[in-house]
Amino acid sequence: MSALAALRPRSFLRQLVPGSPAMQRLYSLDVSAPLLRTRGYVDGCWVSAASEFPVLDPATGEEIARVADCGPEEAKRAVDAAHRAFQSWKRCSAKERGGVLRRWFDLLTLHRADLAQLITFECGKPLQESLGEVAYSASFLEWFSEEARRVYGDLVPSPAQDRKILLLKQPVGVASIITPWNFPSAMITRKAAAALAAGCTVVLKPAEDTPLSALALAELAEQAGVPAGVFNVVPCSREQAPAVGRVLCTDPLVAKISFTGSTATGKTLLKMAADTVKKASMELGGHAPFIVFDSADVDKAVGGAMASKFRNSGQTCVCSNRFLVQSGVHDRFMDQLGRAMDAQLVLGHGSEPGTTQGPLINARAAEKVVHQISDAVSRGATVLRGGRRLQGSFVEPTLLAGVTTDMVCTQEETFGPLLPVIRFNTEEEALVIANASAVGLAGYFFSQDVSQIWRVAEALEVGMVGVNEGLLSTPEAAFCGVKQSGLGVEGSKYGIEEYLQVKYMCFGGLQP
């Protein structure tokens, strides 16, 4: 019997008849052999380690692969290889580097079905979302393949007639990249594509929960003609992660670190990188407000809330975490949102057709959501939909009313399918609540008042604002945060700047 057979919450799971084929289905990963890699990738070679660690399907808890558990020795070898490769890669023309990235993009597009399967089985997200992630992942390779040729310096007017002032842009060197599990393909290409386009080389440590997507990307990079040592992957277990991370953040040959993950871990990595004064970019935690004003189109606001909150079961750094709804539309919004949840959300294994909500990544993630629900209810919140933890790491999509700012769910990032709603009366009140956070990654609001749109967009203390829109991310736009949500920019024309340094050249002795 399927490991999901015991999951039967009436609101969100299809009512399947016991003994039916759907109930008895066994889930198996079926990916072409070249893309199912389980060893590390260093200096153009697939390398083993002294031990292996398991990769689990978060929906069933079943082991789907065992991967080389690389340690500090393998990490050091990868850094050395990247440093050697940098000497030649930086001398390739921008057009040549762009051509390699374009071929990598073409291969991701060609193999999108297999890559999506890998994402679904190791990350848990529904297959349609995984296909969307592969397209999103590939889009960064396409974007930066074009941006490689647009790294322009400056010719500055000189105050003296016998000299010229030039500002050159050059690659910084070896970049250590540490990525999360929630977008196991796209978070890699968003960083690595920019680095390679600039002329840097990369050592990647993927999340321990989701190494298979990273290793598949390495296989396709090799097929695309990325030279040995330019892109290296060092997978490791949770136990090895601190030692591997220490090498990647402290080795003098590493010039740059780029990390996506929690604010606490980001601070630790920054401290380690400080001794060698490395360039750093950090995409850290979020706690996004989602505000619905009385002037909003409620239908559109409900659609935006569904898209922003329940993508990847709420496990995205830009998903809405705190919902603030003005009194005039509160009841209508809550009614329509509850109906939308009933109609649109279906829990199940990500490979099942029709599934919109997969599991959370592991039991710890589920326990965190349950704790936030329990805390809110104990302080007076009302559960309107869901509220239960199911088998394994599945949690019902949950809608809470009567939420107040003293509840944990309004103070900490959830990373799960919990939608807590706070009623407010004035614009000023909403902004005070929205900005009462140490982090500021994304924020969303719905309004049809043009003056209000400008006021609120400028007043929100976040790096990205969605106005009448619940989905923000695209390679053409800057992905960035303020406060303790990070440093630097990813994507857009500015993303490549994170891997470049400016060199001033004064060319003197010229005849006027």
Side-chain angles (χ1 to χ4, degrees):
M1 179 178 287
S2 163
L4 298 185
L7 301 183
R8 293 289 165 268
R10 185 169 298 276
S11 298
F12 302 114
L13 280 174
R14 287 197 178 98
Q15 300 303 300
L16 301 177
V17 178
S20 69
M23 290 279 283
Q24 296 175 347
R25 180 176 176 184
L26 297 177
Y27 303 99
S28 60
L29 177 61
D30 182 19
V31 173
S32 59
L35 292 181
L36 187 55
R37 293 288 188 172
T38 58
R39 292 187 289 173
Y41 185 69
V42 175
D43 203 14
C45 298
W46 297 99
V47 300
S48 300
S51 60
E52 297 176 334
F53 67 98
V55 180
L56 307 180
D57 179 347
T60 65
E62 296 295 320
E63 182 178 306
I64 56 176
R66 296 191 68 82
V67 173
D69 193 4
C70 295
E73 291 184 8
E74 289 82 9
K76 175 58 178 170
R77 285 170 53 196
V79 169
D80 291 345
H83 186 259
R84 289 192 301 271
F86 174 64
Q87 310 313 315
S88 55
W89 181 246
K90 68 180 179 181
R91 289 195 291 270
C92 290
S93 70
K95 183 177 181 179
E96 290 173 315
R97 295 196 298 268
V100 171
L101 289 172
R102 179 68 200 201
R103 291 194 294 275
W104 200 4
F105 160 79
D106 290 337
L107 287 166
L108 259 70
T109 303
L110 178 65
H111 294 283
R112 58 187 177 274
D114 279 347
L115 296 171
Q117 267 212 64
L118 287 173
I119 292 171
T120 289
F121 273 82
E122 67 177 349
C123 174
K125 66 177 62 173
L127 190 57
Q128 282 302 118
E129 285 194 25
S130 297
L131 286 166
E133 179 178 344
V134 175
Y136 183 48
S137 177
S139 73
F140 287 106
L141 297 172
E142 180 182 41
W143 173 259
F144 285 111
S145 75
E146 298 162 351
E147 287 298 290
R149 300 173 70 178
R150 300 190 185 108
V151 175
Y152 305 132
D154 294 293
L155 179 62
V156 181
S158 171
Q161 293 185 357
D162 64 345
R163 69 191 65 175
K164 297 292 183 183
I165 295 175
L166 295 90
L167 302 179
L168 312 177
K169 291 184 179 178
Q170 296 181 317
V172 297
V174 176
S176 291
I177 291 176
I178 302 175
T179 53
W181 51 262
N182 60 334
F183 285 87
S185 181
M187 294 302 94
I188 294 171
T189 58
R190 190 163 73 185
K191 299 171 186 294
L196 269 60
C200 296
T201 55
V202 165
V203 179
L204 165 68
K205 190 204 85 64
E208 59 271 16
D209 293 300
T210 56
L212 300 179
S213 293
L215 296 170
L217 287 176
E219 168 63 29
L220 295 180
E222 185 176 273
Q223 293 182 25
V226 175
V230 171
F231 182 72
N232 306 271
V233 183
V234 185
C236 68
S237 63
R238 186 180 302 275
E239 290 72 27
Q240 288 277 31
V244 170
R246 190 171 298 108
V247 171
L248 299 187
C249 292
T250 62
D251 192 295
L253 298 182
V254 173
K256 156 85 180 181
I257 60 170
S258 179
F259 170 72
T260 295
S262 72
T263 298
T265 301
K267 290 177 180 179
T268 298
L269 300 181
L270 282 171
K271 289 175 183 177
M272 289 195 288
D275 282 345
T276 45
V277 196
K278 300 187 191 306
K279 190 177 179 75
S281 53
M282 298 271 150
E283 192 262 283
L284 306 177
H287 194 38
F290 186 105
I291 309 172
V292 183
F293 290 104
D294 282 345
S295 65
D297 181 321
V298 173
D299 291 341
K300 289 183 178 179
V302 168
M306 293 292 291
S308 176
K309 176 74 261 185
F310 294 114
R311 184 171 58 126
N312 197 17
S313 300
Q315 298 173 112
T316 79
C317 53
V318 293
C319 78
S320 299
N321 218 56
R322 298 167 291 154
F323 288 75
L324 292 80
V325 183
Q326 199 160 11
S327 296
V329 294
H330 177 274
D331 292 349
R332 183 153 61 101
F333 176 84
M334 297 296 282
D335 177 64
Q336 291 185 212
L337 180 59
R339 293 174 186 270
M341 291 174 66
D342 291 342
Q344 298 175 29
L345 302 183
V346 178
L347 274 75
H349 194 283
S351 65
E352 286 279 11
T355 292
T356 67
Q357 300 290 287
L360 302 190
I361 190 65
N362 52 40
R364 294 188 306 278
E367 289 162 5
K368 179 179 180 181
V369 177
V370 170
H371 169 69
Q372 291 195 358
I373 295 170
S374 300
D375 171 80
V377 170
S378 72
R379 296 174 187 270
T382 302
V383 177
L384 299 184
R385 293 294 190 284
R388 294 182 297 165
R389 178 178 177 180
L390 307 174
Q391 182 174 322
S393 59
F394 280 85
V395 176
E396 283 187 293
T398 299
L399 175 61
L400 295 180
V403 173
T404 55
T405 56
D406 63 334
M407 298 174 185
V408 174
C409 61
T410 69
Q411 299 169 2
E412 298 177 1
E413 187 176 23
T414 301
F415 241 63
L418 170 59
L419 200 160
V421 179
I422 301 170
R423 184 195 291 259
F424 72 91
N425 294 311
T426 67
E427 178 182 312
E428 294 74 18
E429 178 189 358
L431 286 170
V432 168
I433 296 171
N435 290 334
S437 174
V439 296
L441 191 58
Y444 309 85
F445 68 93
F446 281 72
S447 170
Q448 296 184 94
D449 180 332
V450 174
S451 296
Q452 182 177 61
I453 286 171
W454 281 110
R455 286 195 307 271
V456 175
E458 292 183 345
L460 282 175
E461 296 172 358
V462 295
M464 299 171 283
V465 181
V467 182
N468 298 324
E469 179 57 61
L471 297 176
L472 291 169
S473 301
T474 178
E476 294 83 0
F479 195 100
C480 52
V482 299
K483 299 182 178 178
Q484 294 184 37
S485 279
L487 304 168
V489 173
E490 293 186 338
S492 79
K493 69 177 183 179
Y494 301 106
I496 200 169
E497 299 288 339
E498 298 292 325
Y499 298 90
L500 296 166
Q501 56 194 3
V502 175
K503 177 182 284 186
Y504 162 40
M505 186 175 83
C506 181
F507 188 177
L510 303 176
Q511 293 296 322

